[in-house]
Amino acid sequence: MTTTASPIKFLSQIAAEAAARRKELLGGKTRHIVQVAHCSLAVGADKVVAAVRQAVGENEVIIVAGCDGTCFQAPKTVTIAPDGRREVKGHGVESDFFALQKRIAMDGCGEIDATDVDDYLAHGGYAGLAKALSMSPEAVIEEVKASGLRGRGGAYFPAAMKWEGARKVRNSPKYLVVNAEEGEPGIFKDRHLMEGVPHRIIEGMAIAAYATGINEAYVYINAEANLSAHRMEKAIARAKAAGLLCEKILGSDFTLNVTIMRGAGGYVCGEETTLLNTMEGYRREPRLRPPFPTTAGLWAKPTVINNCETLANVPFIMAKGAKAYAAIGAWPSDSKTPPNQRASGTKIVSLSGSVHRPGVVELPMGTTLRQIIEAVGNGPMAGHALTGVAVGGPSSGVFPTSMLDTQIAPGLLHESGVMLGAGGVIALDERTPALDVVRRLAAYNAAESCGKCTPCREGTPRMVDALDRILSGKGAQSDIEELRYLADVVGAASLCGLGQAAGSPITSALRFFGDEIAMRVASGAR
Amino acid sequence: MRRMEVALITDRKELRAVLREKFPRNHGQLLPALHFLQHEFGHLPDWAMEVVGWHLGIPASEVYGAATSYTELRIKKPGEHVVRVCTGLGCWMNGGKDLLSGLAHDLQAKPGETTSDGRITLEETLCGFLCGLAPAVEVDGKWQGRATAAAVHASVNGAAKP
Ligand code: SF4
């Protein structure tokens, strides 16, 4: 591998040309940015595009972007006059939704032309890749290690360690798989990234592949995300045309091929070995580990699997440096904590439920749930009172309002099993009691169990049965004990993360809402 | 996933020819081939799965086993229109619960069932990834956010017109 400074020069030339083209296209014109994404399409963003297209004057241009995360405002248009004045048109008001946010992965989302490579370049895009290509792969891994970046899919494994492991394996070919399978209710962030800044994912992917010595990459997108797949495809084609994804990328010796694969639905598909089975044409079931995918993954070859959001953080780390990244978050770089244990950087949170301003938000690690729900989401729906928050999806748990000052961190937020997971935050109000919430999560886990392990297959429906008995007023103390027992056994004896965490919502509910549940049992027993 | 009104492929021979053209014969092509069937027929007819198995060299039982393990693949033939109500937590608490029971009442069909005239299949989906625009409903492959029963009826009835 040659290490020369030429990729940076190469990029500055491409970027200058892109800037000139942008200037010619936009100079002195009013820009109508229409935010079109999976969500906004469901409330008529396509009709908005058509209307703007019809009305667009001579000195105006229309730009189709992804969404900036303000789901509550969709469909949204931002008009920017040549003098910089902005006018926002949308559902509801923007106010201080962005005040606490720090945008790294989502930077430019909803603002830049989603698939246009020129616009991404004008936004500083591909600078991280150029920098990486001018360094040795080992140095790139070191930089990412120093940043403390951990996987953002829910397991939070240190990204650089995975890369290092794969780099050392002497077996070829090796593969990179981007896990964009978002099969988890309450979480909708990876599609925002793919729809709004697909080039950032491509850039992150190219850096990861270079660092690990991989020339073949796959992006695994779930069945429902048609727009994401479409935008990724388009962005890949444009990156190729610009010399950013091809043979000899940016004039270096590095080559990368990218192929898109579509999933077919299911929570467990996000589990990395299930994802590999799916790609190889087998049932939706996890594989036994070890061997780990970095040793024997796709078609038994070494495979690095990275989540979409993880990769979207990498360009910033390369372009701005590990220090800049580690300075964001709960425990900054000057602390004595080793980088791998630091909560550095940001996390994208999907905020929904009983809040005025649901959306996709990027926040520094260490932000509290209270800030997320109150300051960003603007509190519970009118006429309702906040009763708790469901964090991290069906594998995690529920917190009462007394725990709202908990800070978000990679991994476990509380010993009762509440984890940040992939970053879903659902605010609850009195319309949905904690027990109902847990019942819905448990039913989800039961429906999604792939059936490979007996404890998970048999245990998850039994949890639902016990919850149903309690909910219908026919519950007994023994049901509570059964729930505790099942949560333990299923958690201990299951093969994959789904079963291992299936009891977490129940454990956390018994811990925090135990009185409510006991009262339910007592009143039913009377 | 939008389904075609009239399937263009009507027999095994024709399907074999199309598969030969589109899908290289390796195990990894199973999911892409099943997606293709669903797009073509709106569901996965048994005979078509058999042909896929033959083409890829995978026993039909394995094809069926894989197909049934995915939530987005449909084995049973649905009605003319498919209405899917999201029952994820966010939607459920923000109106999805009432929307589903309302539609079930109007259509006289429970989730998973098709109306007696074969027109509309009502389904539940565990997440539409539109939690921010709850409640969400999908009608014939197109999602509606901040959905109402009236809007769902209107799009089904509108789509029925030539
Ligand atoms: S824990 Fe559950 S979902 Fe995971 S492999 Fe076992 S049965 Fe399947």
Side-chain angles (χ1 to χ4, degrees), chain B residues 31-83:
Chain B
L31 209 47
L34 292 178
H35 273 309
F36 169 75
L37 293 191
Q38 176 136 319
H39 182 79
E40 193 63 24
F41 302 104
H43 69 123
L44 305 176
D46 286 350
W47 68 269
M49 281 198 275
E50 272 171 32
V51 179
V52 162
W54 170 83
H55 175 71
L56 297 177
I58 304 173
S61 59
E62 251 184 62
V63 174
Y64 189 83
T68 48
S69 78
Y70 294 99
T71 47
E72 290 300 317
L73 297 177
R74 187 176 274 124
I75 306 295
K76 245 171 66 187
K77 189 174 185 330
E80 244 172 272
H81 302 285
V82 180
V83 173

Side-chain angles (χ1 to χ4, degrees), chain A residues 438-520:
Chain A
V438 172
R439 201 254 168 215
R440 290 212 75 71
L441 300 179
Y444 180 81
N445 285 328
E448 292 290 300
S449 169
C450 78
K452 187 166 175 154
C453 329
T454 315
C456 174
R457 184 184 60 236
E458 303 288 327
T460 48
R462 268 175 62 188
M463 294 185 204
V464 180
D465 288 346
L467 288 165
D468 276 345
R469 279 194 297 277
I470 298 174
L471 272 165
S472 66
K474 294 195 192 93
Q477 183 59 31
S478 60
D479 287 315
I480 296 183
E481 268 133 41
E482 162 141 313
L483 280 173
R484 250 189 248 284
Y485 169 75
L486 287 170
D488 276 356
V489 172
V490 175
S494 292
L495 170 66
C496 86
L498 192 151
Q500 284 160 11
S504 304
I506 289 167
T507 318
S508 68
L510 288 173
R511 169 87 167 246
F512 298 120
F513 298 90
D515 293 348
E516 200 180 308
I517 297 169
M519 256 167 61
R520 197 75 172 240

